[in-house]
């Protein structure tokens, strides 16, 4: 399919049909996903999906529809239907396309042609192998949650009546395993995975399998502890769940409606000065990178928190207009069936200066959090509460595994009590953080 020709043609026809502004998103997605349990294939799915979403405006009235049929006749009917929808909806002064037009885009090298050449049998074999190796690591591993392999090839186009005409090709692939250790009342699961844009950059199968097994076995014998007020270290793989709760509280529309505890915190210290957070989806070949966002805005590095000071909220073009603010907008989009919405693209919490071991120095007693059962933060009130698991620390070292405990407090107090940040960030996805300690 010639995405560029189809997209630009739909925009011209939408304007001719009466739209004042128009935007089209086209996708063609090929997916493969296999799950293996105890060596046998449990589920295997191969799919190809394509479609076009059309968003247009007449007198600030929004019409939106989509179709999976890209034939000329279907597209003509979709344009006609969307124009009719726009004419009967309520106009709102902030509605319309973004104010920007086409911009230079970075070539981020996000497409791996080798993925398409990997036989399905090889992908199934990797899922089997990572499970087999993980199960064989320790005699205390008694069951399997399965091995898996998946990959996606995606071609997408974004076009609008302000001259934006972008086409993107990208790939992703990954595999992993989850195993269960122990028996009866003493059972723990652990899993690990590797996900990349390029097939040849995936981690070795044995490395992923060993990490999955270690995570299960290390938690055997976990128990709760007495209620206490102690230092808490958030491990670098648990920390993203904590930061996700913060990000939800930074939604610009929630700020406008005053439904987030962060409403009055812009340009104020919300955290320890050790904390700096960027949204940066511009790294070449990275799994969470993209050259443009859900509205067609060229991506760049944006600072969200600078040495503890909150520098911006998240807006898309419409919520920014609604709130009357001028900012660099950042919008996500979940395929051609949805419109854009404000949100993060690739969060990176800056590394600190401490080696990970330094976080435990001077701790007579404390908790290392390696898993969280929820984000913890209540966006409206700022209260923080979540179940977690990890390890109890005594005299600066791990003493025993912990489970069935709840962390409680307020998010702002926790942020401001961060007194050490490690230098151990592992860039794995859309939200990345080093380990850090709350005093």
């Amino acid at each position: 399919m010639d995405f560029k020709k189809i997209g630009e043609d739909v925009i011209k026809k939408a304007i001719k049909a009466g739209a004042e502004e128009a935007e089209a998103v086209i996708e063609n997605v090929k997916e493969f996903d296999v799950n293996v349990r105890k060596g046998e294939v449990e589920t295997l799915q191969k799919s190809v999906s394509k479609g076009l979403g059309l968003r247009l405006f007449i007198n600030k009235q929004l019409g939106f529809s989509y179709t999976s049929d890209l034939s000329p006749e279907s597209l003509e009917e979709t344009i006609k239907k969307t124009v009719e929808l726009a004419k009967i909806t309520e106009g709102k002064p902030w509605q319309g396309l973004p104010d920007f037009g086409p911009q230079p885009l970075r070539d981020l090298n996000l497409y791996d042609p080798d993925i398409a050449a990997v036989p399905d049998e090889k992908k199934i074999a990797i899922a089997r192998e990572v499970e087999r190796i993980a199960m064989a690591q320790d005699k205390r591993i008694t069951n399997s949650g399965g091995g898996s392999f998946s990959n996606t090839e995606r071609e997408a186009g974004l076009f609008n009546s302000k001259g934006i005409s972008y086409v993107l090709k990208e790939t992703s692939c990954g595999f992993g395993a989850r195993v269960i250790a122990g028996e009866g009342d003493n059972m723990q699961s652990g899993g690990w995975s590797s996900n990349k844009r390029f097939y040849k950059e995936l981690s070795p199968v044995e490395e992923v399998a060993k990490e999955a097994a270690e995570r299960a076995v290390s938690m055997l014998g976990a128990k709760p502890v007495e209620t206490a007020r102690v230092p808490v270290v958030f491990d670098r793989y648990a920390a993203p769940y904590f930061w996700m709760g913060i990000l939800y509280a930074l939604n610009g529309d929630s700020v406008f409606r005053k439904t987030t505890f962060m409403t009055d915190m812009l340009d104020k210290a919300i955290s320890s000065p050790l904390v700096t957070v960027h949204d940066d989806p511009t790294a070449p070949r990275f799994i969470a990178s993209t050259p443009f966002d859900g509205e067609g805005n060229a991506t760049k590095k944006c600072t969200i928190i600078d040495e503890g000071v909150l520098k911006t909220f998240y807006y898309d073009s419409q919520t920014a207009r609604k709130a009357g603010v001028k900012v660099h907008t950042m919008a996500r989009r979940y395929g051609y069936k949805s419109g854009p919405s404000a949100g993060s693209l690739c969060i990176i919490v800056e590394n600190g200066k401490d080696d990970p071991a330094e976080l435990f120095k001077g701790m007579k007693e404390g908790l290392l959090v390696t898993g969280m059962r929820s984000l913890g933060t209540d966006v409206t009130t700022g209260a923080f509460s979540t179940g977690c698991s990890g390890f109890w620390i005594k005299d600066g070292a791990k003493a025993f595994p912990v489970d069935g405990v709840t962390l409680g407090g307020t998010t702002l107090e926790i942020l401001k009590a961060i007194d050490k940040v490690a230098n151990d960030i592992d860039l794995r996805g859309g939200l990345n953080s080093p380990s850090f300690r709350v005093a």
Side-chain angles (χ1 to χ4, degrees):
M1 288 182 294
D2 187 342
F3 275 20
K4 194 173 181 68
K5 183 179 184 305
I6 294 171
E8 292 178 355
D9 188 52
V10 165
I11 296 301
K12 289 176 186 175
K13 288 180 177 178
I15 297 298
K16 189 175 180 180
E20 294 171 357
E21 296 182 318
E23 174 197 77
V25 172
I26 312 176
E27 275 191 317
N28 186 33
V29 183
K30 298 177 183 177
E31 294 180 291
F32 175 93
D33 187 74
V34 63
N35 288 280
V36 171
R37 188 165 180 272
K38 296 187 176 180
E40 298 296 325
V41 174
E42 273 200 334
T43 61
L44 190 153
Q45 179 178 325
K46 293 180 73 172
S47 63
V48 178
S49 61
K50 67 180 187 298
L52 176 142
L54 179 62
R55 192 170 65 120
L56 52 81
F57 301 91
I58 302 172
N59 296 325
K60 305 294 184 182
Q61 297 163 256
L62 166 66
F64 176 76
S65 62
Y66 58 85
T67 178
S68 59
D69 182 354
L70 300 184
S71 67
E73 297 78 16
S74 173
L75 294 177
E76 291 277 5
E77 182 60 30
T78 299
I79 293 167
K80 180 182 176 183
K81 179 173 69 176
T82 314
V83 169
E84 290 171 353
L85 284 171
K87 289 178 178 178
I88 62 172
T89 59
E90 180 184 354
K92 296 176 181 176
W94 55 81
Q95 291 189 155
L97 290 182
D99 296 326
F100 52 81
Q103 305 157 54
L105 299 179
R106 293 179 173 89
D107 179 6
L108 300 180
N109 192 14
L110 305 179
Y111 182 77
D112 178 13
D114 289 345
I115 288 179
V118 180
D120 293 349
E121 292 76 13
K122 174 65 174 175
K123 300 170 188 177
I124 296 168
I126 291 172
R128 280 199 176 107
E129 186 71 353
V130 70
E131 182 196 41
R132 183 191 66 79
I133 296 174
M135 289 288 290
Q137 288 302 303
D138 195 295
K139 62 183 180 181
R140 291 170 290 178
I141 294 175
T142 55
N143 209 337
S144 172
S148 64
F149 187 101
S150 63
N151 68 267
T152 301
E153 298 175 72
R154 177 176 178 263
E155 186 174 9
L158 177 61
F159 312 90
N160 73 23
S161 54
K162 293 198 171 184
I164 284 179
S165 181
Y166 301 150
V167 176
L168 167 69
K169 289 184 75 173
E170 60 182 352
T171 52
S172 62
C173 57
F175 73 96
R178 176 163 290 277
V179 292
I180 300 164
E183 295 178 340
D185 294 333
N186 182 25
M187 296 175 70
Q188 295 287 341
S189 68
W192 198 243
S193 63
S194 174
N195 298 278
K196 301 288 183 181
R197 291 284 188 185
F198 286 72
Y199 175 74
K200 290 180 181 177
E201 294 178 2
L202 289 169
S203 300
V205 172
E206 188 168 305
E207 181 181 301
V208 172
K210 286 182 175 179
E211 181 68 23
E214 169 60 24
R215 284 177 166 264
V217 171
S218 66
M219 290 299 295
L220 285 173
K223 58 186 178 181
V225 291
E226 294 294 323
T227 299
R229 187 176 178 87
V230 295
V232 174
V233 174
F234 287 81
D235 157 273
R236 58 182 171 171
Y237 301 122
Y241 288 91
F242 172 79
W243 295 114
M244 196 178 296
I246 310 299
L247 293 172
Y248 283 142
L250 300 183
N251 180 276
D253 199 44
S254 297
V255 171
F256 177 77
R257 292 183 285 110
K258 300 186 184 300
T259 56
T260 166
F261 71 97
M262 291 286 192
T263 295
D264 298 317
M265 299 306 294
L266 190 65
D267 292 324
K268 296 179 181 177
I270 64 166
S271 177
S272 155
L274 299 176
V275 174
T276 294
V277 181
H278 305 290
D279 199 321
D280 186 9
T282 65
R285 301 169 78 97
F286 187 55
I287 193 75
S289 290
T290 181
F292 57 89
D293 74 356
E295 293 185 311
N297 205 2
T299 52
K300 65 178 184 178
K301 182 179 181 179
C302 296
T303 300
I304 310 302
I305 300 172
D306 186 12
E307 295 183 352
V309 177
L310 178 62
K311 304 306 292 184
T312 189
F313 295 114
Y314 278 96
Y315 295 93
D316 57 36
S317 292
Q318 295 194 144
T319 56
R321 282 195 205 109
K322 183 179 177 182
V325 298
K326 292 191 177 297
V327 294
H328 176 78
T329 57
M330 286 176 275
R332 295 175 294 193
R333 200 168 202 133
Y334 300 103
Y336 71 91
K337 295 181 181 180
S338 70
S341 60
S344 63
L345 299 172
C346 180
I347 291 295
I348 299 174
V349 182
E350 268 193 12
N351 258 338
K353 297 180 180 179
D354 290 308
D355 289 331
E358 290 291 320
L359 273 58
F360 302 103
K361 281 194 173 178
M363 283 177 63
K364 289 186 177 181
E365 283 197 312
L367 178 66
L368 167 62
V369 176
T370 58
M372 291 172 58
R373 289 180 171 79
S374 68
L375 307 183
T377 294
D378 183 307
V379 170
T380 304
T381 66
F384 184 88
S385 179
T386 181
C388 71
S389 56
F391 296 88
W392 195 248
I393 305 299
K394 279 191 175 182
D395 298 323
K398 289 181 184 179
F400 54 85
V402 169
D403 201 358
V405 297
T406 299
L407 294 177
T410 69
T411 299
L412 287 175
E413 285 180 353
I414 293 168
L415 283 168
K416 290 178 179 179
I418 294 173
D419 67 340
K420 284 184 180 292
V421 179
N423 57 4
D424 63 348
I425 194 168
D426 181 10
L427 298 173
R428 290 175 58 83
L431 219 170
N432 310 273
S433 173
S435 305
F436 62 90
R437 188 177 78 177
V438 179

